[in-house]
Amino acid sequence: MQKQFLSNLIITILLNLLVKPVALFAIDASVQNRVGEAEYGLYFTLLNLTVIFNIFLDFGINNYTTKRIAQQTTNQANFFGSIMVFRLILFILYAIVVSLTAILLGYGAREFHILLFLVINQLLILSIAFFRSHFSGLHLFKTDAIISIMDRFLLIVIAGYLLFISNSDLITIDSFVYIQTICYFITFIVGWTVLNKQIKGPFFHWDFKGSLEIIKQSLPYAALILLMLLYNRSDAVILERIHVNGRIEAGFYAQGFRLLDALYMFGMIFAGLLFPMFSRLLKNAIDEVTPLLQTAGNLLVGGSIVIVTISLFNAQFFLDLLYHNVNSSSVFSFKFLISCFIPICINFIFGTLLTANGNLKTLNVISFSAVVFSIGLNLFIIPGYGAVGAALVALCTQSLVALIQMYYGLKCIQLKLSFKDFLPYVILIVSMILFGYNLQLLQLNPLLAVCIFTLFGLFLLFVLSLIDIKNIKKIIFSKA
């Protein structure tokens, strides 16, 4: 089982490394360059609006399905059919919520047209994730890995052809959304076909009691996810709506957010590994939680400090590599946003620990407070400072959440930290900053400077024992 877990983890990570960064930076960023900041800012805002409420499409269905299929392999067709009907009912609720919110925000016909396809995309995305939960439950890990990147691969092929080979003027925000819908739909059909062969169905009917049970079990998790999405994603919507040049500012904000989002995706892989491990140790061997916590902290927080420091000193270089239109607003908002990665990594660790310990009420209170703090501060700061103000609020919000979650996480395992525990991080931060300033004085080629800076950061991680190969192996080979 451990060998199977490790091999499939490696396959999944490799496929994601090969495909998703290309889709994000080569395709998504190129579309933004082609259509301009205002048009992409509109798309980015509407996308965030659909993402905020997509919990209404899921309600924990996918996690519930993975667990159920793994434990009970009989009667799969009826289960699949009942959940698909339930998801269609949830889709109606989701579409109503998104539409009412869009009306309240004052969107017009053009925005609603794009929003319609983005809402359909969310249905397809969550349905594909539902198919994947079956594949995971049936231990069809390679199939799951392929389906997980198929839509992005298709996007690279279709949009890449239009962007780089045909050099046509067909790429607009509207056509980009249509291409995404086509890619999701093809992936949906492939996933449906493969799964249909496995479960020999499906038979559509609605299990009302079963649906209510899923909602009842998942409600605390659903509330937590909704609150987290609100304080992570609402800033773009507020920015586009209340700033005098909202769509352009949202486009500048999206430039920095894209890089943070790429880092976030891979941080989630670690969180996915940590959750079952924390859950098992908290139940059976609580004394072993601290070593795992320290190893995860060293790896995630230490690594994030290196990444953030390099990004801060080379912000202009990174943005110029990706975008045609870079100004001071882009650079400063990027610096604040990329700095969010450090508290986000802290949240990955301690948020996962609290979730595994069942402290959902605490997490919901923290997240609700973060929503109030973020929205309130954004309404005050964004009109005057635009994308830079929104990015600064994001950093303040993530840092506040990280500190509170760390406090309650340490409290739940009764662990007290001293200055000695923080000393390696202090040395790492000070050393990286001093090295960065001195490297700038040499005025080297930017790419060479980044390579040297990266090697120095890795050197420090090993010297300070923040990367410990033995402990990393323990995490990988630990039984989940």
Side-chain angles (χ1 to χ4, degrees), residues 34 84 90 111 161 194 240 278 281 302 308 310 349 362 477:
R34 182 72 65 91
M84 285 301 290
L90 288 176
E111 290 87 351
Y161 173 79
V194 174
E240 191 271 338
F278 278 143
L281 294 176
V308 168
I310 293 170
I349 298 165
T362 300
F477 289 102

Side-chain angles (χ1 to χ4, degrees), residues 29 98 111 139 458:
V98 173
E111 290 87 351
H139 285 200
L458 289 171

Side-chain angles (χ1 to χ4, degrees), residues 89-104:
I89 293 168
L90 288 176
F91 174 69
I92 295 170
L93 171 64
Y94 167 74
I96 291 171
V97 170
V98 173
S99 299
L100 288 175
T101 305
I103 292 170
L104 290 173

Side-chain angles (χ1 to χ4, degrees), residues 4 8 11-12 15 128 131-151 187 190-198:
Q4 184 185 35
N8 288 296
I11 290 170
T12 302
L15 286 173
I128 293 165
F131 299 159
R132 289 182 56 206
S133 66
H134 277 75
F135 297 141
S136 295
L138 294 168
H139 285 200
L140 300 172
F141 296 116
K142 289 182 176 64
T143 303
D144 178 41
I146 292 169
I147 295 295
S148 73
I149 54 93
M150 182 176 287
D151 60 286
T187 307
V190 172
W192 175 286
T193 303
V194 174
L195 187 59
N196 197 38
K197 291 180 180 178
Q198 293 293 326

